[in-house]
């Protein structure tokens, strides 16, 4: 019986290792980003980006720099939703390994006013699509995110669905 358990544990480790080895560079970068995002490690998230990288959260407006759009947004979300977490459904990579498409559910419970949404202590769980582009060194050069902003507002109790602050 002990031999069966040992073999099963070894096989499980081999399967996990071989699955990770099959991931390409964009999938690896995106996976590391979401691991750090789930841990609320903004500094760790930033380390994954190339100098001059851009971030675009489509419902919020035009793309911008990593600092003004990415870091400010992530810190704002974590501050307003201290239990912010994500559940990656899938990561798919383009054949050339330069882009990854991430299907992820992001959720949290609001603890303070933010993003023009008055705190009512409500929770949200909204599916997102992230497109992550990398350079030759495997650093993120661009990140674009899409989600249903009306659903986000509705789940948090905001009835005015305009994007204004």
């Amino acid at each position: 019986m002990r031999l069966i358990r040992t073999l099963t544990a070894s096989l499980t480790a081999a399967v996990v290792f071989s699955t990770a080895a099959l991931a390409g560079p964009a999938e690896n970068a995106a996976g590391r980003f979401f691991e750090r995002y789930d841990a609320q490690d903004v500094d760790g998230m930033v380390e994954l980006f190339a100098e001059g990288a851009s971030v675009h959260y489509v419902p919020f407006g035009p793309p911008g720099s990593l600092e003004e759009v990415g870091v400010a947004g992530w810190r704002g979300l974590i501050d307003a939703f201290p239990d912010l977490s994500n559940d990656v459904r899938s990561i798919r990579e383009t054949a050339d390994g330069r882009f990854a498409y991430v299907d992820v559910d992001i959720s949290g419970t609001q603890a303070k006013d933010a993003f023009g949404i008055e705190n009512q202590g409500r929770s949200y769980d909204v599916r997102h699509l992230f497109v992550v582009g990398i350079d030759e060194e495997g650093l993120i050069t661009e990140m674009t995110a899409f989600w249903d902003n009306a659903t986000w507002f509705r789940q948090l109790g905001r009835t005015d669905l305009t994007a204004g602050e």
Side-chain angles (χ1 to χ4, degrees):
M1 190 57 131
R2 184 181 314 174
L3 177 61
I4 292 173
R5 275 186 260 140
T6 302
L7 289 173
T8 302
S10 297
L11 180 59
T12 301
V15 169
V16 169
F17 176 75
S18 68
T19 301
L22 295 176
E27 185 176 343
N28 281 330
R32 287 192 316 269
F33 173 83
F34 281 98
E35 287 171 0
R36 293 175 186 189
Y37 195 10
D38 197 48
Q40 300 184 1
D41 177 8
V42 176
D43 293 335
M45 294 158 62
V46 170
E47 291 173 357
L48 301 172
F49 284 79
E51 188 175 329
S54 66
V55 178
H56 186 190
Y57 284 130
V58 173
F60 287 161
S65 72
L66 173 62
E67 281 297 320
E68 66 189 7
V69 176
V71 173
W74 302 323
R75 290 199 193 284
L77 279 168
I78 291 167
D79 187 46
F81 301 89
D83 65 344
L84 186 74
S85 65
N86 68 73
D87 180 23
V88 174
R89 292 170 173 247
S90 67
I91 303 176
R92 301 285 187 255
E93 184 173 285
T94 57
D96 64 3
R98 298 296 300 272
F99 288 91
Y101 299 91
V102 184
D103 180 1
V104 58
D105 293 316
I106 300 179
S107 61
T109 303
Q110 191 169 6
K112 62 171 49 173
D113 294 354
F115 303 99
I117 305 169
E118 184 179 318
N119 178 27
Q120 298 177 37
R122 294 175 69 164
S123 298
Y124 79 96
D125 187 345
V126 176
R127 194 170 184 177
H128 291 63
L129 171 66
F130 280 74
V131 181
V132 178
I134 63 163
D135 63 15
E136 297 78 23
E137 297 169 4
L139 295 174
I140 299 170
T141 57
E142 58 187 289
M143 178 176 284
T144 302
F146 304 87
W147 69 91
D148 181 354
N149 212 47
T151 295
W152 188 53
F153 283 173
R154 182 182 45 75
Q155 288 181 9
L156 294 172
R158 180 171 168 180
T159 56
D160 174 12
L161 300 183
T162 60
E165 299 284 329

